[in-house]
Amino acid sequence: MERIFNFSAGPATLPQEVLELARDELANWHGCGMSVMEMSHRGKEYMGIQAEAEADLRELMGIPANYKVLFLQGGASSQFAMVPMNLLRGKASADYLNTGEWSKKAIKEAKKYCAVNVVASSEDKNFSYAPAQDAWKLDPNAAYVHYTPNETIGGVEIFWTPQTGDVPLVADMSSTILSRPIDVSKFGLIYAGAQKNIGPAGLTLVIVRDDLLGQTINGTPTMFDYKTHAENESMYNTPPTYAIYIAGLVFKMLKAKGGLAAMEKANRAKAQLLYDALDASRFFNSPVAPENRSLMNIPFTLKNAVCDDEFLKDAKGRSMVQLKGHRSVGGMRASIYNAMPIEGVQTLVNLMKDFEKKHG
Ligand SMILES: *Cc1c(COP(=O)(O)O)cnc(C)c1O
């Protein structure tokens, strides 16, 4: 069967070559007579797989030696609580930027643990832009500054790194990680659910500067303490072994393709193709401020919302699925992570042109 173009925001499309390699290795990994799913996480085969995944990720992202890489579970949503539990470090408040639905969820959870100072918000314009840094009201006594560099639902991306002085910068990179190079040393902590741009759901990645560990609030469960996982190489309990193995295959493939600089080039070309089509159209519209247009998640609306269902039906007829937009934005959303080939975006643009001719 032919593969279709899956524009889902997550779980999202995975590289075909990774799926095929995983299929070939499924029942008998490297001649050991069992699948990765069946291996002891304490055996040398699996420990090798995880160590290699971490080494490849460190190389891809240029992660400095004083940062720990943690392979956790519970999704990015668990990090909304684990971040304050671990990083408040005796302080009473934390700074949060509010740029959309995921920021809002992070803020809501943090309020259970501390006072939240919202440094700036774009809610006034339905989260269609990101406030510039000079509009942020940072608190020098905040425990950390949290932001969402790519709002997956609104399609709003921040391409610059906020300056927060000595206050650690924390980023929910769920939908932007591995899409372009970043300077990890500018961050105190980075987290991401794997199911957008890393691998299968069930794995959550945390990259944390080691001086921030070991200062949890009283009563923090052992499993929610980053130090537990840092000290046990993410093997305090059973890690999500198969998801880590697939993520490791993705990391190897990204390295072979030229790393994150090559990914950025490809991602910019894909996004440009779609944004150019939106700008040239009188029927389709991008609601996002030009300087914040996401490379990964591209929402767009049709001039006449009654055409939405027909557009989705036509898309399905051309092997494109999961284009329906989130209810908070309406219209469509094309998620075009690393694994979406440019042919998928071209197929979408071709449909948009034909659809506009018919309905415009
Ligand atoms: C998908 C997503 C989440 C939620 O991730 P889960 O792994 O489902 O908890 C959080 N933040 C952002 C930016 C996301 O895209």
Side-chain angles (χ1 to χ4, degrees):
M1 196 196 123
E2 286 272 304
R3 296 259 301 161
I4 57 173
F5 296 120
N6 176 8
F7 290 90
S8 171
T13 189
L14 282 162
Q16 187 163 341
E17 57 266 55
V18 165
L19 296 174
E20 287 171 0
L21 182 55
R23 176 200 59 203
D24 293 346
E25 298 184 340
L26 181 63
N28 183 359
W29 183 83
H30 293 202
C32 80
M34 64 174 90
S35 81
V36 175
M37 273 179 267
E38 301 163 295
M39 289 176 184
S40 163
H41 59 294
R42 313 228 180 256
K44 81 171 186 327
E45 287 93 352
Y46 177 74
M47 286 182 57
I49 288 170
Q50 187 169 311
E52 218 169 296
E54 178 176 339
D56 286 337
L57 181 68
R58 283 184 176 276
E59 190 184 326
L60 268 177
M61 293 184 70
I63 300 173
N66 62 324
Y67 284 72
K68 299 285 187 191
V69 172
L70 310 178
F71 296 114
L72 307 182
Q73 301 180 60
S77 302
S78 291
Q79 296 310 310
F80 296 162
M82 280 176 74
V83 164
M85 281 176 161
N86 283 268
L87 297 196
L88 280 173
R89 296 158 16 261
K91 298 200 179 227
S93 75
D95 280 355
Y96 278 74
L97 178 70
N98 184 13
T99 49
E101 301 301 325
W102 292 114
S103 298
K104 278 201 320 205
K105 287 201 165 164
I107 289 167
K108 189 172 170 215
E109 194 70 3
K111 281 182 175 165
K112 296 183 176 176
Y113 302 95
C114 63
V116 168
N117 170 42
V118 176
V119 297
S121 169
S122 56
E123 195 156 18
D124 57 335
K125 291 186 183 160
N126 197 29
F127 296 123
S128 60
Y129 73 104
Q133 165 118 34
D134 58 16
W136 296 22
K137 294 199 173 59
L138 290 168
D139 172 3
N141 292 314
Y144 57 87
V145 181
H146 179 284
Y147 82 123
T148 311
N150 187 63
E151 283 283 358
T152 319
I153 290 172
V156 170
E157 186 160 356
I158 299 174
F159 293 96
W160 39 275
T161 307
Q163 304 289 320
T164 59
D166 291 337
V167 181
L169 181 61
V170 176
D172 175 0
M173 292 205 182
S174 294
S175 53
T176 180
I177 195 158
L178 303 179
S179 69
R180 54 188 169 88
I182 54 153
D183 182 353
V184 174
S185 73
K186 298 256 159 51
F187 296 84
L189 186 146
I190 291 166
Y191 64 91
Q195 68 275 21
K196 276 93 187 217
N197 216 11
I198 298 175
L203 166 64
T204 310
L205 184 69
V206 171
I207 301 165
V208 57
R209 211 174 64 212
D210 56 15
D211 63 283
L212 297 171
L213 300 174
Q215 301 161 77
T216 50
I217 58 174
N218 280 341
T220 298
T222 309
M223 277 294 291
F224 298 166
D225 184 343
Y226 293 132
K227 192 163 166 244
T228 303
H229 303 286
E231 285 181 341
N232 291 281
E233 282 160 19
S234 303
M235 294 209 196
Y236 173 76
N237 73 322
T238 316
T241 52
Y242 199 76
I244 292 168
Y245 154 72
I246 298 284
L249 295 183
V250 171
F251 301 154
K252 276 217 188 307
M253 183 218 66
L254 293 178
K255 271 175 59 182
K257 284 193 166 175
L260 301 193
M263 280 304 112
E264 173 166 15
K265 197 159 169 253
N267 287 326
R268 285 197 182 278
K270 286 188 288 175
Q272 179 95 42
L273 187 58
L274 187 44
Y275 286 120
D276 281 352
L278 289 167
D279 287 341
S281 163
R282 293 160 149 265
F283 188 81
F284 296 98
N285 178 53
S286 160
V288 179
E291 67 275 19
N292 294 120
R293 287 171 160 189
S294 171
L295 299 179
M296 297 283 101
N297 310 97
I298 304 184
F300 57 93
T301 54
L302 280 61
K303 195 161 138 195
N304 195 343
V306 299
C307 295
D308 283 4
D309 286 342
E310 191 176 338
F311 186 82
L312 290 166
K313 201 172 128 247
D314 289 359
K316 196 155 183 233
R318 297 190 193 189
S319 296
M320 294 181 286
V321 297
Q322 297 285 345
L323 279 161
K324 192 174 169 60
H326 190 270
R327 63 188 178 285
S328 64
V329 183
M332 305 295 142
R333 173 177 49 165
S335 294
I336 54 171
Y337 300 113
N338 286 346
M340 172 59 67
I342 195 157
E343 292 75 20
V345 182
Q346 188 62 60
T347 305
L348 176 59
V349 166
N350 292 346
L351 169 63
M352 288 162 67
K353 287 188 176 144
D354 293 345
F355 199 86
E356 180 164 0
K357 257 183 224 145
K358 195 164 150 208
H359 298 272

